[in-house]
Amino acid sequence: RLNLQYTVLSKRRLLKLVNNHYVRGWNDPRMPTISGMRRRGYTKEILNTFCNDLGATRAMNVIEMEKLYNDARNYLSDTSRRCMAVLEPIEVTISNWAEHDSKPETLTFSVQNSPTDASMGEHSVTL
């Protein structure tokens, strides 16, 4: 039996949420169902890894949600490219910029797309 911390997994209680239209159905991303979790962004590999790490048991265990988050983070860190964005830019003045660079207008350097896998390539960042 799988019991997640802070999560209602009773089919009887979840059915009330669906029948009273508090959620849009069994595949609503707020529902703790497999289809709901898939719509939330968890892949089948993440869910399989999570269940395999827990194993089968007859004892009543309450599993922390951080375990699921950690499995998702570990899987996605190996397969995802990193992206950077400046959502709220601020103006910064560097007073000794000209001392360190011959062309004081811009500085361009390359960054890997994944810190662990160099085969994912790299992109350039300009300051």
Side-chain angles (χ1 to χ4, degrees):
R1 175 136 171 97
L2 176 64
N3 289 320
L4 290 174
Q5 187 179 28
Y6 307 119
T7 306
V8 175
L9 295 174
S10 168
K11 186 176 178 183
R12 177 175 49 91
R13 292 184 179 160
L14 294 176
L15 186 62
K16 285 182 185 179
L17 294 175
V18 173
N19 289 339
N20 292 334
H21 302 289
Y22 290 112
V23 294
R24 283 176 257 142
W26 289 100
N27 63 349
D28 190 285
R30 297 170 287 180
M31 293 290 279
T33 59
I34 291 176
S35 59
M37 294 176 100
R38 291 294 305 271
R39 286 197 53 198
R40 210 176 311 154
Y42 292 103
T43 63
K44 64 179 182 177
E45 290 84 6
I46 293 170
L47 296 174
N48 285 334
T49 303
F50 176 68
C51 292
N52 287 337
D53 288 348
L54 296 178
T57 181
R58 291 185 182 182
M60 290 293 290
N61 293 329
V62 177
I63 309 302
E64 296 178 355
M65 288 297 289
E66 284 77 22
K67 172 74 175 122
L68 178 61
Y69 299 153
N70 190 33
D71 286 341
R73 196 173 299 114
N74 288 337
Y75 177 76
L76 292 174
S77 71
D78 296 336
T79 59
S80 299
R81 291 182 56 200
R82 303 311 196 273
C83 296
M84 294 175 19
V86 178
L87 299 178
E88 296 179 15
I90 59 170
E91 185 175 339
V92 176
T93 303
I94 302 174
S95 60
N96 60 352
W97 182 274
E99 296 173 11
H100 298 289
D101 193 9
S102 61
K103 191 170 86 173
E105 291 84 26
T106 62
L107 174 65
T108 303
F109 54 95
S110 62
V111 179
Q112 286 186 346
N113 289 331
S114 174
T116 58
D117 189 8
S119 66
M120 289 187 171
E122 57 186 30
H123 64 276
S124 62
V125 175
T126 303
L127 295 178

